[in-house]
Amino acid sequence: MLYVHGTLDSSASFIRGSRRYLPQWRSLAYDRRGWGHSRRAGHATCGLGRHVADLQDILARHQPDIVVGHSYGGLVALNALWQSPALAGALVVYEPPIRWLPWWPDLAPWEALVREADVEDPTEAVRRLRTAVLGREVTRGTGRPDADIEDGRALLAEMSDAELNTVGFEPLTFGVPTVAAAGVNSLEHDRRTTRGLAELILRGVYVELPRAAHIAHITDPEAFFGLVRRAEDLRRQAESAGSDHHPTLSNQT
């Protein structure tokens, strides 16, 4: 199982919960360019395509049964697996920001918050988004000024990336069994977009977590990591359906 984190996050958010709620699985995670331990690998021109290529390289090396992509990480996973569907058995995406689907607004609330922040002070964008996601006022950073500045730069680059506005995959031909999930307390456009995505994908299932919002892996980890079991069921069903269409070869000389 491989985790792909979202914006303003890192792999560390997933490993602890995965070990607790899915101890029988081998869990892998990595920090995308610009975040966590990969800050030095990120830069202002690192767009969605670069993140997709990175993920494809990792998938080719490890070939996980299931990929779990949270938020922006879900968008990266969708693009990567549409291009290379054989690299994973199933996918979980949680509220991926697919701007080109019809349920996404012209300017989403969190995008507006970041766009209105002072670009000369990247930490302001971080404060605004953390406040919105956590649902409470965040007046100070993490206590690591350099890290907050780097997070702000990566945040501004990621949310202003023009590649997010272009069609990166075709849902109707997406061949990987997919659990698309959202939280009942999440923003309406996130829920509608995720539900619409699940309806378009041939082997797509929509799941709404009853107590969760956008950072469900932190606020409701038991339900979030339980999505992996649902994805494993889809993977096994797809394998069974595939075997029904192929004859079994006997041992013949």
Side-chain angles (χ1 to χ4, degrees), residues 24 74 110 222:
Q24 71 276 27
W110 292 352
E222 184 173 6

Side-chain angles (χ1 to χ4, degrees), residues 205-225:
V205 173
Y206 177 68
V207 177
E208 196 162 274
L209 303 187
R211 298 181 301 276
H214 190 64
I215 52 173
H217 59 300
I218 296 173
T219 60
D220 194 4
E222 184 173 6
F224 179 87
F225 291 102

Side-chain angles (χ1 to χ4, degrees), residues 114-201:
V114 173
R115 182 176 297 185
E116 293 166 1
D118 184 359
V119 295
E120 300 299 325
D121 180 13
T123 61
E124 172 66 10
V126 172
R127 185 194 65 78
R128 283 172 176 259
L129 187 56
R130 282 181 177 149
T131 295
V133 172
L134 295 174
R136 55 181 173 79
E137 184 68 17
V138 175
T139 57
R140 292 186 295 179
T142 61
R144 299 171 297 142
D146 291 345
D148 288 336
I149 291 173
E150 291 301 316
D151 282 351
R153 289 172 178 165
L155 170 62
L156 292 172
E158 208 152 89
M159 294 193 75
S160 62
D161 179 13
E163 290 186 62
L164 270 65
N165 299 318
T166 60
V167 178
F169 68 96
E170 174 51 66
L172 294 175
T173 60
F174 192 81
V176 179
T178 301
V179 174
V184 70
N185 296 318
S186 295
L187 297 177
E188 178 61 23
H189 72 274
D190 277 325
R191 295 165 59 197
R192 293 181 63 195
T193 299
T194 306
R195 184 187 300 111
L197 173 68
E199 292 173 351
L200 292 174
I201 293 176

